[in-house]
Amino acid sequence: MKHKFLYSSIIFFFLSSCSLDKEPFTDLTNESIENTEGAIDALNLGNYHTLKSWVENWHRVTEYPSDEVSLSGTTTDAFFYNYNYNRIVNNGRVNSYWENSYKIIAGTNNILGQLEVGTSEKNDQIIAENLYLRSLMYFYLTNVFGRPYNQNPEINLAVPLKLNADPFEVLPRNTVKEVYQQIISDLLKAETLFKSYKGNIYASEYATQALLARVYLFMGENEKAISYADKLINSGKFTLLTRDKYTEIATAAPENNSETIFAIKFLKDVDYSDNGWYTIGSMYATINGAGWGEMYASRSYLEEVRKYPEDVRYSFVEPVVADKNELHAYYVDDNYKYNSVIVKQEGADYVYTVNGSKNTLIKESNGAGSFQYFIKIAGKIRTALIDKKLEDRNGYLKYFILKCSGQEGQGHLWSPVISRLAEIYLIRAEANAKIGRTQQALDDLNVIRKRAGIPTAGLWTTANLGGKSALDVVLSERKLELAWEGHRKFDVFRNGYTLDRKYPGTHIANSNSFLTVDAKANEIIDFIPEQQITLTHGILKQNP
């Protein structure tokens, strides 16, 4: 009996060159794969192609539950449940994420089951690439559906470890520790097998080392995380973009970005339709009339990134101006709603009038080049952001996010970055902070801050932490630098912090709103999709 593989990653491409822009021809039987010249190469590219389907809901399940975003309305789209931590077992977004992850795993297993190490350099390269891709899928699956590694990994369940090409094998969930052990095993093996570097849109020795550094960090293996970060930083293969080219993190094709270690490549014109209405970036902004523009930069992110006017990371935020001739001081009231007063500049001050009384905004500086404005309303002091009069949607200010749009000048085109050099510096900083090497941690943080344009007075020293720990400032820097790249939710919970979402957004609209989320809460991990439990006849056990 011939088993026909229905996984979308097990597909054949007619190829004239190594390109990811070809359309799938058909699915193949196991026998025809073995007997068709070039089938393995095509299947390998097919796994990369499936990443394009995978990445949309990967972004939604990892980024929307963070404290970097603010949704401006309710919606029937299932991502609303990810955003507001009100889990449902039949979330179509989560199910699609699960299915696409396992399609890629099935594709990698099919290739790995047919090739042997040492038969040729070409085969070793393909084996290494697929070990990396399989590890990447299991890393995110485990962190979406399993608890952080520091919470009883020997007991807590993650996802089933599927390691062969049998499409009918049904497996129970493995523990978090078991999945991490498999990830480490696969990555260490892959690291030794790469024969060439094909560029940053393909798996590589460097992408493997970047993922190893991250995995070890998540496991609390800090010395190993530092060792792999050192390998990448000292390799000289990648360089941080300069401040004046910082926005090229999003706008350059990944191959032209010296900082990117691995990205999922979307091609201009080819991977783009309907003016980008259904891309990741379309939720974050409206560009040239296209895009929903319904989810904005969160107030907590804005207050942090705007402490230094020089911080280039704010260039990925675009306030949508309604009236350029009117200045407002925007603040958040006790109900976590936006309010404002009109302000006028008088010399170096901003003044406003309330109940006929003229007042001056309070400007506070930490003496290191940063400053914030505060407003006193009804006897309470509140942080104020000064902007020209802004457009709003349902009372939520339109601070468009541009980090997921604009590649090669095309609206909402974007090639999501999985690993880049800035993260590697931050991995090393976090690991050193946890070991107690505070100065080394701050040195790496300051590399990132200097690149962002933070003045010398604003760089971290052991003397100016102001009561914060080195880990505190590392996580704050990760929030600023890696915003909207799918890190923040994991960063908060794996370190035992509480996620603070006491800011405007429709996550506060329900009677069961989560304004804070504790690292031990059940809600930090997604339910296993009900459809998957049904398909396995209950072998998969549900999360609490």
Side-chain angles (χ1 to χ4, degrees):
M1 178 179 180
K2 296 180 181 179
H3 299 317
K4 194 166 222 185
F5 291 92
L6 302 179
Y7 305 104
S8 67
S9 52
I10 305 178
I11 49 183
F12 184 76
F13 288 73
F14 282 116
L15 301 168
S16 58
S17 61
C18 265
S19 170
L20 300 184
D21 62 339
K22 305 298 182 181
E23 291 299 318
F25 174 66
T26 185
D27 46 1
L28 297 175
T29 63
N30 200 17
E31 180 181 301
S32 63
I33 291 171
E34 295 171 357
N35 297 327
T36 302
E37 183 179 356
I40 293 294
D41 291 333
L43 288 169
N44 191 37
L45 287 179
N47 290 334
Y48 288 102
H49 187 273
T50 308
L51 284 173
K52 297 181 185 183
S53 301
W54 170 83
V55 76
E56 179 190 357
N57 284 317
W58 162 81
H59 183 89
R60 302 192 197 281
V61 302
T62 59
E63 186 57 45
Y64 286 9
S66 78
D67 59 358
E68 301 163 340
V69 294
S70 171
L71 185 61
S72 62
T74 57
T75 175
T76 57
D77 193 303
F79 70 65
F80 189 57
Y81 299 100
N82 299 100
Y83 170 73
N84 66 16
Y85 282 89
N86 285 286
R87 302 173 298 168
I88 56 173
V89 296
N90 59 346
N91 187 318
R93 293 282 186 183
V94 175
N95 188 59
S96 176
Y97 167 69
W98 176 288
E99 288 183 342
N100 277 305
S101 297
Y102 274 101
K103 283 176 184 177
I104 293 170
I105 290 168
T108 61
N109 287 341
N110 192 51
I111 289 176
L112 294 170
Q114 298 191 52
L115 299 180
E116 293 185 10
V117 171
T119 55
S120 71
E121 289 194 354
K122 178 182 177 181
N123 284 351
D124 283 356
Q125 174 77 22
I126 293 175
I127 290 170
E129 290 181 35
N130 282 272
L131 286 170
Y132 169 83
L133 292 176
R134 185 169 75 179
S135 297
L136 185 68
M137 294 301 103
Y138 277 127
F139 172 77
Y140 280 114
L141 281 167
T142 298
N143 281 282
V144 169
F145 296 105
R147 302 197 69 82
Y149 192 86
N150 62 1
Q151 297 182 17
N152 299 316
E154 303 89 352
I155 297 172
N156 289 325
L157 296 178
V159 293
L161 271 174
K162 173 72 174 170
L163 302 175
N164 63 52
D166 179 359
F168 302 108
E169 181 183 48
V170 179
L171 298 168
R173 297 170 67 185
N174 289 82
T175 66
V176 170
K177 184 174 182 178
E178 288 169 340
V179 180
Y180 267 82
Q181 287 175 332
Q182 185 65 46
I183 292 169
I184 292 292
S185 175
D186 281 353
L187 290 175
L188 290 175
K189 181 178 179 181
E191 186 185 16
T192 68
L193 294 177
F194 283 102
K195 305 303 180 184
S196 63
Y197 177 67
K198 295 160 56 177
N200 60 12
I201 62 172
Y202 295 94
S204 68
E205 176 186 359
Y206 307 106
T208 298
Q209 291 169 346
L211 187 53
L212 275 165
R214 189 192 297 174
V215 170
Y216 281 131
L217 183 74
F218 277 44
M219 294 175 69
E221 298 277 359
N222 294 309
E223 292 287 7
K224 291 180 180 178
I226 291 168
S227 175
Y228 273 96
D230 284 343
K231 285 185 181 183
L232 280 162
I233 292 168
N234 296 335
S235 73
K237 187 70 176 179
F238 307 93
T239 56
L240 294 175
L241 293 171
T242 57
R243 181 177 183 270
D244 62 310
K245 295 185 180 298
Y246 184 76
T247 56
E248 291 184 9
I249 289 171
T251 61
E255 302 96 320
N256 298 327
N257 188 332
S258 65
E259 186 166 330
T260 296
I261 299 169
F262 181 63
I264 298 171
K265 174 65 181 289
F266 281 72
L267 289 145
K268 186 177 182 181
D269 299 322
V270 174
D271 294 315
Y272 204 71
S273 61
D274 297 322
N275 291 320
W277 274 95
Y278 296 97
T279 59
I280 291 170
S282 68
M283 273 301 295
Y284 291 138
T286 300
I287 298 175
N288 297 327
W292 309 101
E294 296 178 359
M295 187 173 284
Y296 313 131
S298 71
R299 177 70 180 209
S300 68
Y301 182 83
L302 294 168
E303 289 183 6
E304 189 67 27
V305 78
R306 286 177 59 164
K307 287 182 178 178
Y308 289 91
E310 305 91 342
D311 197 331
V312 71
R313 292 170 292 202
Y314 186 62
S315 60
F316 279 128
V317 178
E318 181 182 273
V320 182
V321 175
D323 186 342
K324 64 181 180 180
N325 297 313
E326 193 170 294
L327 279 179
H328 283 242
Y330 289 100
Y331 63 93
V332 177
D333 65 22
D334 289 340
N335 296 313
Y336 307 111
K337 300 287 188 179
Y338 275 114
N339 275 281
S340 72
V341 296
I342 297 174
V343 296
K344 294 184 179 180
Q345 193 164 9
E346 291 185 359
D349 295 326
Y350 288 96
V351 298
Y352 62 100
T353 300
V354 175
N355 298 325
S357 176
K358 187 176 179 180
N359 303 273
T360 302
L361 289 182
I362 304 165
K363 183 178 181 180
E364 288 190 2
S365 172
N366 68 0
S370 75
F371 62 86
Q372 286 182 295
Y373 285 101
F374 295 88
I375 187 170
K376 188 172 184 179
I377 295 287
K380 289 191 175 182
I381 304 294
R382 306 176 191 275
T383 306
L385 295 180
I386 300 172
D387 280 299
K388 294 172 183 176
K389 185 179 180 181
L390 300 181
E391 291 185 12
D392 71 86
R393 181 174 184 265
N394 299 324
Y396 301 106
L397 298 179
K398 292 185 177 183
Y399 287 99
F400 282 172
I401 297 167
L402 303 180
K403 202 175 192 179
C404 306
S405 302
Q407 179 184 317
E408 300 172 85
Q410 189 160 39
H412 293 299
L413 185 67
W414 181 49
S415 292
V417 175
I418 298 299
S419 295
R420 60 184 175 97
L421 187 59
E423 183 208 353
I424 305 305
Y425 276 102
L426 292 167
I427 285 173
R428 192 167 71 176
E430 183 178 335
N432 273 318
K434 289 176 175 176
I435 291 171
R437 300 171 187 153
T438 299
Q439 189 58 58
Q440 290 95 318
L442 300 184
D443 288 344
D444 278 336
L445 284 190
N446 288 336
V447 169
I448 302 303
R449 288 175 73 76
K450 285 179 183 177
R451 190 272 293 275
I454 306 300
T456 301
L459 302 181
W460 290 114
T461 69
T462 54
N464 70 0
L465 291 175
K468 296 180 180 179
S469 69
L471 180 59
D472 290 338
V473 296
V474 168
L475 294 183
S476 293
E477 204 65 36
R478 285 182 66 94
K479 180 177 179 179
L480 289 173
E481 180 63 35
L482 303 177
W484 313 303
E485 295 179 38
H487 294 271
R488 179 62 178 171
K489 172 189 173 184
F490 303 141
D491 288 350
V492 172
F493 297 138
R494 67 184 172 81
N495 281 294
Y497 284 56
T498 295
L499 187 72
D500 186 348
R501 301 181 105 200
K502 295 192 289 288
Y503 57 76
T506 51
H507 58 281
I508 66 173
N510 323 20
S511 58
N512 57 341
S513 297
F514 285 86
L515 294 177
T516 60
V517 187
D518 187 83
K520 297 293 182 65
N522 289 335
E523 287 77 12
I524 74 166
I525 54 175
D526 275 294
F527 281 138
I528 303 297
E530 185 177 53
Q531 182 176 344
Q532 304 305 320
I533 293 176
T534 301
L535 289 171
T536 63
H537 304 289
I539 289 178
L540 290 180
K541 300 303 180 185
Q542 185 57 275
N543 282 324

